[in-house]
Amino acid sequence: MGNFDQLYQALTKVDGFIYPNELELRWSVLITLYPYITGLVAGAFILASLNRVFNVKALKPTYEISLLAAFAFLCVATMPLISHLGQPQRFYEIMMTPHLTSAMAIFGFVYLWYLMAVLLLEIWFDYRVDFVIWSREKKGLLKLVYKILTLGVMDTSPKSVRTDNKLGYIITVIGIPSAFLLHGYVGFIFGSVKANPWWSSVLMPIIFLFSAMVSGIALVLFLYMIITYIRKQKLDMLCLDTIGKLLFYILILDFTLESLDQIHRIYEAGESFDIISLLMSKLFFSLTIMQVLMGTFIPLAILGFFQFHKPKEKIRKAAYFIISILVLVGIFFMRWNVVIGGQLFSKSFLGFTTYKIGLIGREGLIMSIVWIIVPFIILTFLLWFLPPWKKAHIEDK
Amino acid sequence: MKTEKDKNNSRREFLIASTAITGGIVLSTFLNPFKSIAEAKSADSTKDTIKLNDKNVSLAKDAEKWWGFGFDIEKCIGCGTCAKACKEENNVPKEPFFFRTWIEQYTEKNDGTLKVQSPNGGIDGQTQAVPSEDIFKSYFVPKTCNHCSKSPCVQVCPVGATFVSPDGVVLVDEKYCIGCGYCVQACPYGCRYIHPEKEIADKCTLCYHRINKGLQPTCVEVCPTGARTHGNLRDKKSDLVKFLKEHNCHVLKPHLNTGSKLFYNGLSEEVR
Amino acid sequence: MPKQLTRLIIVFLIFISLFLVVRHFLVPESFYKFGHYRADALKDNEDHQVKYIDAAMCSACHTDIDSLKVSGPHKNINCQTCHGPGYLHVEDPSKNVLIKPTERAFCGKCHSLNAARACNIIKQQDIAQHNIDNKCVECHNPHQPQP
């Protein structure tokens, strides 16, 4: 049987004893992507909300970008999950007969709530007046689409805009805890598996939340620089520095929490300690090098340095760009270490299986690259369809 | 020719009609959860059993049956017949990484280390890899689904495709499982796998198709030494209750509080 | 109430009722009957084919072997433990011939020396030493192996 070749190969590489059914890693790279993408959504949204709720003016240039990025990634967030299912066509059952004790079933509703009640509404309130204006300017199909999107509210008076802003503000206030919930919940999906000591931790949702914020902020930083470059505009250095500072603080928090989790585990040294310390050495590349060194220490060092001394703009720009990529990659490996690392060791605590990512197939590399690229395509479309730089500024009146 | 008013009228009628239909369905959906209560009531009168597809399936709490397993480690000779027969009986893929039941050989060495092995789940028989002068103690541990009453796997199933049956057997609904693999992650005993052809979760059913016909599960049937017992925990005269009475039994990983119903006689503390 | 809000509420109500309508048709009929699962799944699980049949059926035709076996040490071993599932064989014995495992390794699965096997449960022989030139069945009748 050709399709078992890989598993037969893995069988020869088993280290120690594993339960026979544990040879195959059930959750592979696609499930790594799922918390990663959801994290980007939550993080980007929280950045947008900071701008609005706490009125951080310096972040203004990134507001719409973060909203649209959050939306683009949210559209795709469940796709890795669905495409990894054995029976993807039965996916609707999660919404039809959700099993209330299952973290995954409730996630469906948390997701819908976040998509429908928070993100879409916030974007709608933000863009409603523009929909009206664009529906008057544009022709043909586009005109119709914009018109439908106004839901028939054609009022462009300053009073109606004020109402939009007020309602949008309320939505943002609801949105922040929702974003926390969305990603904390993803952490709970792993943190609640008592069979797996690598996952089962009360800190898991919080760690996921803060790493989500870190990755979301890095994403917005990255997107802002790219988009500004493509539009041949000038980067707002104050904005970049503010994002950098925010990233620095949250990265510290995130790193503290993760260290706390590990230190607690090492000090407690429960029955799973031996296997977990072995696991950490097995994850040397993805954990020590990629997650801790590249994804945390180097960005922290550079950002920390910038807090005391600010070099020339050009250097800062380059540094921010590199940091955003480092952090994005680092957080991806954080998810990798959780999802893949958690399945490498046997629940008998007596050995390890191996994992080698395949190129093609449903759970292969190509599939996951597709799910990483699609959000960027959606974002490009959104930026064309809802260009933030062409928004009317009635609210200023 | 229709006038403008007529048009409006027919449109309004259509709107009213469709709203009424939708509303009716919505209302009946709200009532749906209560349907089971109503049905359970009527079932009460027919002595705790409901007729289900011409078969009497008993209701959960006061059912006469509550199935469980009892394995005697002292009697197991590790021949692997159970694992082999199980694969044949239940169409489990023959590859050495899909098992509903398997046998592990534990060897505690004189130097205090532990060696555990289960080549091909023990189906081809086991050979002792440790030289006999190094062996402190050695024994076989047959493994299968624990049919937990507080199953972690049932708890996490997002759609309700796996469940504890009214008679205490953890089953998978082949036509409803979405194959997400969350239950595979949640099972502390490694008893579940995703069936490579059916793409759904698969596991021991305690031979539900046999025990309901008065037969024994295949693994119990073929065991040459009677190391496996199965029976009804609610029947004071069943084999399993007798087994539990005569032996000092333990379950695997009791600290996880899974409510395991697979009881081992002679279980060593090393076994996980 | 601002017009935005009323419009949104209408959109949401439409969405929710659509969801409920869809749900009405997609939830399987026997769901929730006994709990959060399809009650018909019990029946599905019951309907599988029984392959390892009741061993008493073998004795009906193979009376000689059965009476031989009950007097020997293999008396508690099911015929299908050695011969494999018999559901097809009982329907048409000449077409569906069962396996006859005569190789030494087969007996060895149970009888080879292994520290994990309790001596009071099973008699063991070192397969590499015990009369290596012949098959086990040449000296031991598998149905009455006492030499």
Side-chain angles (χ1 to χ4, degrees):
Chain A
M1 284 287 252
N3 50 342
F4 291 122
D5 281 354
Q6 217 173 1
L7 285 176
Y8 274 111
Q9 211 157 48
L11 198 61
T12 61
K13 294 196 192 122
V14 170
D15 178 7
F17 172 75
I18 59 169
Y19 295 136
N21 289 335
E22 282 177 333
L23 183 72
E24 185 185 18
L25 255 76
R26 232 14 261 181
W27 285 358
S28 61
V29 63
L30 283 181
I31 301 290
T32 312
L33 278 185
Y34 152 72
Y36 184 59
I37 293 182
T38 331
L40 293 176
V41 175
F45 181 82
I46 288 168
L47 189 65
S49 322
L50 280 180
N51 172 7
R52 186 151 192 171
V53 175
F54 300 109
N55 214 1
V56 187
K57 285 262 161 50
L59 294 177
K60 186 73 191 136
T62 63
Y63 176 65
E64 268 93 11
I65 293 181
S66 14
L67 266 192
L68 295 182
F71 182 59
F73 278 87
L74 194 65
C75 290
V76 183
T78 53
M79 291 321 287
L81 194 72
I82 295 177
S83 55
H84 125 282
L85 291 181
Q87 304 283 347
Q89 79 285 2
R90 295 184 186 161
F91 176 69
Y92 69 90
E93 290 167 5
I94 293 190
M95 305 306 296
M96 296 305 133
T97 57
H99 192 206
L100 298 182
T101 60
S102 167
M104 203 184 272
I106 302 304
F107 178 79
F109 289 93
V110 173
Y111 173 84
L112 259 198
W113 161 262
Y114 191 72
L115 177 71
M116 308 282 296
V118 176
L119 251 185
L120 278 181
L121 279 192
E122 175 139 2
I123 294 176
W124 191 74
F125 282 125
D126 196 40
Y127 276 91
R128 188 194 59 83
V129 177
D130 305 284
F131 288 151
V132 179
I133 295 169
W134 291 335
S135 72
R136 285 178 195 145
E137 290 169 355
K138 298 274 180 335
K139 298 235 153 46
L141 188 66
L142 215 52
K143 184 188 180 78
L144 187 70
V145 174
Y146 283 128
K147 199 152 190 176
I148 292 172
L149 282 177
T150 61
L151 299 179
V153 190
M154 302 300 280
D155 197 347
T156 56
S157 64
K159 184 162 167 281
S160 76
V161 174
R162 236 174 287 133
T163 320
D164 279 343
N165 280 343
K166 211 164 78 199
L167 290 172
Y169 182 83
I170 295 173
I171 293 292
T172 316
V173 173
I174 300 172
I176 292 180
S178 302
F180 277 44
L181 182 69
L182 177 74
H183 208 67
Y185 211 90
V186 177
F188 187 69
I189 289 183
F190 296 95
S192 62
V193 176
K194 67 181 169 189
N196 191 322
W198 184 245
W199 291 347
S200 172
S201 158
V202 264
L203 278 181
M204 203 55 126
I206 304 185
I207 290 175
F208 263 58
L209 187 59
F210 277 92
S211 53
M213 282 199 238
V214 170
S215 65
I217 293 171
L219 175 74
V220 174
L221 187 61
F222 176 78
L223 285 176
Y224 175 57
M225 295 181 84
I226 293 276
I227 291 171
T228 317
Y229 175 79
I230 293 175
R231 294 183 55 229
K232 301 197 177 64
Q233 303 283 314
K234 224 177 116 25
L235 278 170
D236 181 342
M237 270 330 271
L238 179 66
C239 174
L240 281 188
D241 284 336
T242 316
I243 299 182
K245 196 191 248 165
L246 205 64
L247 187 59
F248 177 63
Y249 291 143
I250 298 188
L251 202 53
I252 289 183
L253 265 177
D254 179 39
F255 184 62
T256 315
L257 282 170
E258 270 177 59
S259 318
L260 185 64
D261 192 34
Q262 295 304 347
I263 291 170
H264 178 80
R265 213 169 260 164
I266 292 168
Y267 191 80
E268 245 191 5
E271 65 165 346
S272 56
F273 173 66
D274 293 339
I275 194 86
I276 280 183
S277 45
L278 279 175
L279 177 69
M280 285 194 192
S281 56
K282 287 220 169 211
L283 292 175
F284 181 76
F285 173 73
S286 59
L287 184 74
T288 318
I289 303 279
M290 295 312 282
Q291 186 187 337
V292 178
L293 186 68
M294 306 291 272
T296 313
F297 279 171
I298 294 179
L300 263 185
I302 301 176
L303 287 170
F305 178 68
F306 286 179
Q307 306 308 311
F308 302 109
H309 173 78
K310 288 215 171 12
K312 274 198 270 42
E313 277 195 9
K314 217 170 151 189
I315 298 177
R316 255 154 56 216
K317 272 184 208 164
Y320 283 136
F321 190 69
I322 293 169
I323 286 173
S324 69
I325 293 175
L326 278 183
V327 169
L328 280 174
V329 173
I331 297 292
F332 175 78
F333 276 98
M334 181 261 172
R335 312 291 189 221
W336 175 280
N337 292 327
V338 171
V339 176
I340 306 291
Q343 297 170 85
L344 281 180
F345 67 93
S346 164
K347 286 178 201 140
S348 66
F349 305 153
L350 292 171
F352 296 90
T353 179
T354 53
Y355 175 62
K356 207 174 121 227
I357 183 168
L359 193 60
I360 43 175
R362 212 176 51 200
E363 309 234 351
L365 195 61
I366 291 175
M367 193 71 172
S368 34
I369 291 176
V370 165
W371 291 131
I372 283 281
I373 291 177
V374 169
F376 287 99
I377 297 173
I378 297 180
L379 183 64
T380 318
F381 166 78
L382 283 177
L383 286 173
W384 167 81
F385 185 64
L386 309 168
W389 40 87
K390 290 201 187 132
K391 276 175 69 63
H393 287 280
I394 300 178
E395 54 247 296
D396 292 344
K397 281 173 199 165
Chain B
M1 219 176 94
K2 273 188 184 174
T3 62
E4 188 65 13
K5 209 177 165 194
D6 277 343
K7 241 191 207 158
N8 267 348
N9 255 345
S10 63
R11 191 190 286 171
R12 169 173 296 164
E13 271 162 25
F14 171 74
L15 271 179
I16 290 176
S18 54
T19 322
I21 293 170
T22 330
I25 295 175
V26 170
L27 257 181
S28 73
T29 325
F30 280 128
L31 289 175
N32 223 13
F34 303 105
K35 212 167 95 186
S36 59
I37 299 175
E39 270 169 22
K41 274 243 179 69
S42 62
D44 276 347
S45 54
T46 57
K47 272 207 187 142
D48 294 347
T49 51
I50 298 183
K51 231 169 163 61
L52 170 79
N53 297 331
D54 304 325
K55 243 202 194 85
N56 283 320
V57 174
S58 20
L59 270 173
K61 288 286 168 276
D62 30 29
E64 314 112 57
K65 291 195 182 115
W66 194 244
W67 297 112
F69 256 140
F71 288 0
D72 196 338
I73 288 177
E74 286 162 13
K75 279 191 186 166
C76 180
I77 57 170
C79 61
T81 314
C82 46
K84 182 159 170 277
C86 172
K87 283 204 172 191
E88 274 160 357
E89 175 81 16
N90 296 303
N91 301 322
V92 178
K94 295 285 183 290
E95 278 68 32
F97 19 82
F98 306 108
F99 292 92
R100 286 186 176 196
T101 181
W102 68 96
I103 300 127
E104 296 164 5
Q105 177 165 18
Y106 275 68
T107 309
E108 296 170 28
K109 294 193 209 162
N110 283 327
D111 61 5
T113 55
L114 184 68
K115 164 138 182 88
V116 187
Q117 58 176 38
S118 184
N120 193 10
I123 285 185
D124 310 323
Q126 305 253 13
T127 40
Q128 181 58 270
V130 183
S132 44
E133 61 271 18
D134 290 347
I135 299 175
F136 172 66
K137 206 165 122 190
S138 185
Y139 43 86
F140 295 111
V141 184
K143 292 268 181 92
T144 189
C145 171
N146 290 238
H147 293 285
C148 310
S149 51
K150 291 173 265 181
S151 309
C153 57
V154 170
Q155 184 185 31
V156 301
C157 177
V159 297
T162 186
F163 54 90
V164 183
S165 79
D167 38 8
V169 181
V170 178
L171 296 173
V172 177
D173 183 346
E174 291 192 6
K175 297 188 185 136
Y176 210 62
C177 175
I178 59 175
C180 68
Y182 203 5
C183 53
V184 180
Q185 306 294 351
C187 174
Y189 309 103
C191 297
R192 285 173 170 257
Y193 64 93
I194 300 286
H195 196 291
E197 280 126 44
K198 298 193 219 159
E199 301 271 17
I200 51 157
D202 197 43
K203 66 178 282 297
C204 163
T205 60
L206 222 159
C207 282
Y208 203 67
H209 59 296
R210 297 175 64 93
I211 56 176
N212 276 307
K213 297 183 180 107
L215 295 167
Q216 298 211 303
T218 314
C219 56
V220 178
E221 188 84 47
V222 300
C223 180
T225 58
R228 292 184 178 228
T229 317
H230 112 285
N232 179 2
L233 289 162
R234 295 226 166 96
D235 174 6
K236 293 282 166 286
K237 291 190 283 291
S238 74
D239 293 349
L240 184 57
V241 173
K242 218 170 98 213
F243 176 79
L244 290 176
K245 218 178 228 166
E246 287 167 3
H247 300 98
N248 240 334
C249 291
H250 293 278
V251 296
L252 289 171
K253 302 189 184 182
H255 59 281
L256 291 178
N257 189 25
T258 55
S260 164
K261 293 206 292 325
L262 165 52
F263 304 95
Y264 284 98
N265 173 41
L267 190 70
S268 258
E269 168 266 334
E270 278 77 13
V271 180
R272 275 190 292 235
Chain C
M1 214 185 323
K3 200 172 173 193
Q4 288 99 315
L5 217 54
T6 40
R7 284 295 153 90
L8 282 175
I9 289 173
I10 292 174
V11 171
F12 266 72
L13 283 181
I14 291 175
F15 179 78
I16 290 173
S17 26
L18 258 181
F19 173 79
L20 290 175
V21 170
V22 170
R23 186 172 182 274
H24 175 85
F25 290 106
L26 286 184
V27 175
E29 209 184 320
S30 68
F31 216 88
Y32 299 118
K33 197 164 181 178
F34 295 141
H36 195 93
Y37 57 90
R38 232 164 40 91
D40 290 347
L42 291 171
K43 179 92 170 62
D44 292 348
N45 267 293
E46 264 176 50
D47 281 348
H48 292 287
Q49 166 79 45
V50 170
K51 295 183 180 168
Y52 279 79
I53 54 167
D54 196 351
M57 286 176 82
C58 313
S59 329
C61 297
H62 300 283
T63 34
D64 45 339
I65 288 175
D66 186 53
S67 52
L68 185 64
K69 193 167 83 91
V70 291
S71 63
H74 278 169
K75 59 181 175 296
N76 288 328
I77 306 181
N78 191 312
C79 313
Q80 297 163 101
T81 303
C82 299
H83 290 294
Y87 71 115
L88 292 173
H89 174 74
V90 290
E91 272 166 25
D92 189 350
S94 49
K95 256 203 209 123
N96 306 298
V97 183
L98 289 178
I99 50 157
K100 287 192 292 182
T102 52
E103 63 289 7
R104 288 172 65 92
F106 170 73
C107 308
K109 274 204 219 174
C110 295
H111 285 290
S112 65
L113 266 182
N114 193 320
R117 292 192 175 124
C119 301
N120 60 335
I121 300 295
I122 184 135
K123 294 281 191 306
Q124 294 155 55
Q125 286 289 3
D126 190 346
I127 301 293
Q129 305 240 315
H130 179 72
N131 303 315
I132 41 174
D133 298 327
N134 303 75
K135 286 181 173 174
C136 316
V137 287
E138 285 171 29
C139 302
H140 302 275
N141 182 338
H143 305 123
Q144 211 316 18
Q146 213 113 44

